[in-house]
Amino acid sequence: MSLGEVIFVVICLVVALGALGAVLSNSLIYAVFFLLLTMGGIGGLYIYLKTPFLAMMQILIYLGAVGVLLIFAVMLAGPFWRRPKERGPFLKGVAGLGVSLLSFILFWRVLRHHPWEVGPQGEVSTSRIGRAILDRYPFAFELISLLIVASILGAIMLGVLSRQGPPKAEED
Amino acid sequence: MIPPALYLALSAVIFTIGVIGVLLRRDAIVIFMCIEMMLSAVGITLIAASRYLHSMDGVIFVFLAMTVAAAEAAVGLAIFVLLHRIYKGVKVDEINLMKW
């Protein structure tokens, strides 16, 4: 087992344990940090998959943007250390496992019986990604920028709304 | 060379943990985090497939999905902070503002 494989196994364990911790942790802020661990590990997996551009994107967006936003939200929505222990019924977890297993079996059968065609060899470089976006998916790219503008405007509107004071929760 | 099945298995594990988290937890922020986790798990699958099939499509899809996740985070967390002022804690089964 080479060093690269050892590091790969460690990253896999970090990702899986981080995901478990994010779901099972009682403290909200610990759950956020576990999630960030998972996201960073997934960025490491992207490097193993030879797409360093997406690894950088993952780290920038998830660890940088979403992580900071989540921590802000948790801090603003505190006091997170005084939350009572909450756990849904155990049966729901079994249901989730069953749903995932069913979809896994479905996808496995589809994957096995689909005739996959392997394209020509080639490194996934950043310039190839940029060319593919502008050549084959320009419409999706434009739509995504529109979506980002709309979401920024929506977040600003929500901020303005919250400054005007909360609306009445119980009208009746 | 790492076998592609390993990536698919890891992605399935993370996706399953995300689904269980969405069903089990009642805190809206944790549910949001589990949804992000599921998105990333699908991203691993797509990139592993596009790596072993020498295709570019998976990379583009993950790029777009990441952008959608960032936009979702911006709006969703603003809504959570707003909801917290009304309800003191964002539990999904207590929020009934839009129910008549």
Side-chain angles (χ1 to χ4, degrees):
Chain A
M1 217 162 144
S2 67
L3 183 64
E5 287 168 352
V6 173
I7 296 176
F8 179 80
V9 171
V10 170
I11 289 178
C12 284
L13 284 179
V14 162
V15 168
L17 292 180
L20 265 182
V23 169
L24 296 179
S25 167
N26 276 321
S27 165
L28 210 49
I29 194 85
Y30 285 165
V32 172
F33 285 128
F34 275 123
L35 180 84
L36 294 188
L37 201 66
T38 306
M39 292 306 176
I42 289 174
L45 287 182
Y46 287 169
I47 288 179
Y48 270 90
L49 286 167
K50 299 248 165 54
T51 46
F53 173 69
L54 275 183
M56 286 302 127
M57 283 266 302
Q58 174 89 11
I59 288 170
L60 270 179
I61 289 184
Y62 280 110
L63 290 186
V66 176
V68 170
L69 269 178
L70 269 171
I71 290 172
F72 260 102
V74 170
M75 293 287 182
L76 287 175
F80 49 84
W81 59 89
R82 250 186 278 150
R83 302 206 166 207
K85 283 194 173 185
E86 50 108 357
R87 207 49 109 242
F90 175 72
L91 214 61
K92 275 188 176 175
V94 178
L97 208 62
V99 167
S100 306
L101 204 66
L102 272 179
S103 49
F104 184 75
I105 292 169
L106 184 72
F107 278 113
W108 183 249
R109 291 189 71 88
V110 170
L111 283 175
R112 284 292 296 278
H113 297 293
H114 188 274
W116 296 101
E117 45 184 86
V118 178
Q121 279 275 8
E123 194 77 11
V124 181
S125 61
T126 310
S127 63
R128 269 191 74 198
I129 294 175
R131 221 169 288 141
I133 285 177
L134 291 183
D135 281 349
R136 298 182 55 193
Y137 301 99
F139 191 61
F141 191 63
E142 295 295 331
L143 267 185
I144 224 76
S145 50
L146 195 68
L147 176 80
I148 293 231
V149 171
S151 73
I152 290 172
L153 288 180
I156 292 173
M157 275 310 294
L158 286 171
V160 170
L161 278 183
S162 72
R163 192 169 296 171
Q164 283 171 353
K168 289 278 181 292
E170 305 291 332
E171 284 289 341
D172 45 348
Chain B
M1 188 80 167
I2 294 154
L6 217 55
Y7 289 106
L8 298 186
L10 183 67
S11 157
V13 166
I14 298 173
F15 191 88
T16 309
I17 293 174
V19 171
I20 291 174
V22 167
L23 289 175
L24 215 57
R25 301 298 298 259
R26 288 163 56 234
D27 209 315
I29 295 180
V30 178
I31 290 178
F32 170 80
M33 281 161 45
C34 290
I35 291 172
E36 298 279 326
M37 212 188 288
M38 285 151 69
L39 278 175
S40 290
V42 175
I44 297 176
T45 305
L46 283 174
I47 294 193
S50 82
R51 161 117 175 83
Y52 289 99
L53 298 175
H54 306 301
S55 156
M56 285 294 295
D57 297 339
V59 177
I60 308 287
F61 290 164
V62 174
F63 176 79
L64 298 178
M66 259 183 211
T67 328
V68 172
E72 178 198 329
V75 179
L77 293 175
I79 292 175
F80 291 160
V81 172
L82 201 58
L83 274 178
H84 177 75
R85 300 188 177 193
I86 306 172
Y87 286 104
K88 306 292 163 217
V90 206
K91 299 276 184 286
V92 280
D93 46 2
E94 291 166 7
I95 300 166
N96 52 4
L97 200 61
M98 290 173 72
K99 208 159 96 180
W100 55 282

